[in-house]
Amino acid sequence: MKDICSRRFFLKEKFSIIYARFFLHAIESKKENFFLKNIKKISHKKTIVFLEFRTIKDPLIKKGIKLSKYERFYTHYRRFINPKEFLSKISEEGFKVLNISSSYNYARFNLERPHICRLVIKAI
């Protein structure tokens, strides 16, 4: 199966670079857990993983239907990620943080200024 968020994910190839922009905040937490396990499976020691996601400081967290503490439905599903909690999860999954930064200026679109975290990690 080639669904990277699935328990049954299987792919023989290993990748040097993995890039997931605006992906993590579009999936549920359980799928995020499978995603992290699966990117580790398709990584080798030098693989660099680039992640970009909306954080709990994003203004959209105040809009739409509240599904849970960090989940909302406003035009579509979003899960706002707490970077501190996510860093802990990444460490538990065996990744090393190479770089982290966040800003309201990374993904500006028209008048929208989401709060975005950019994270560069690698498997250890």
Side-chain angles (χ1 to χ4, degrees):
M1 177 178 274
K2 294 187 180 177
D3 176 358
I4 197 156
C5 295
S6 169
R7 177 180 296 156
R8 293 183 223 125
F9 175 78
F10 178 77
L11 198 61
K12 288 183 182 180
E13 292 91 349
K14 301 278 185 183
F15 296 88
S16 298
I17 297 172
I18 298 170
Y19 177 72
R21 181 175 191 258
F22 279 38
F23 177 73
L24 287 178
H25 66 253
I27 61 174
E28 296 168 351
S29 185
K30 183 177 179 180
K31 289 187 176 196
E32 176 185 278
N33 296 335
F34 290 127
F35 173 76
L36 292 173
K37 289 178 189 330
N38 291 331
I39 62 172
K40 188 130 190 217
K41 289 180 189 176
I42 61 171
S43 297
H44 49 72
K45 291 283 185 193
K46 295 184 179 182
T47 299
I48 304 293
V49 181
F50 298 88
L51 304 171
E52 186 173 276
F53 51 85
R54 289 180 184 260
T55 77
I56 57 174
K57 292 182 180 179
D58 190 292
L60 282 182
I61 199 167
K62 296 177 183 175
K63 295 188 176 184
I65 300 167
K66 184 176 181 176
L67 305 173
S68 74
K69 183 176 180 182
Y70 297 141
E71 294 173 293
R72 303 291 183 274
F73 188 89
Y74 179 70
T75 70
H76 61 278
Y77 173 85
R78 287 185 183 91
R79 183 173 53 90
F80 300 89
I81 298 170
N82 181 328
K84 288 181 183 178
E85 291 174 6
F86 190 67
L87 289 175
S88 177
K89 184 185 281 192
I90 283 174
S91 178
E92 290 171 14
E93 290 294 336
F95 290 95
K96 176 183 176 184
V97 175
L98 302 178
N99 189 18
I100 183 170
S101 61
S102 58
S103 175
Y104 288 99
N105 292 315
Y106 287 155
R108 293 171 73 168
F109 179 73
N110 294 329
L111 298 176
E112 187 180 354
R113 293 181 61 174
H115 191 263
I116 302 299
C117 180
R118 287 183 175 167
L119 190 55
V120 182
I121 61 175
K122 70 181 267 182
I124 52 174

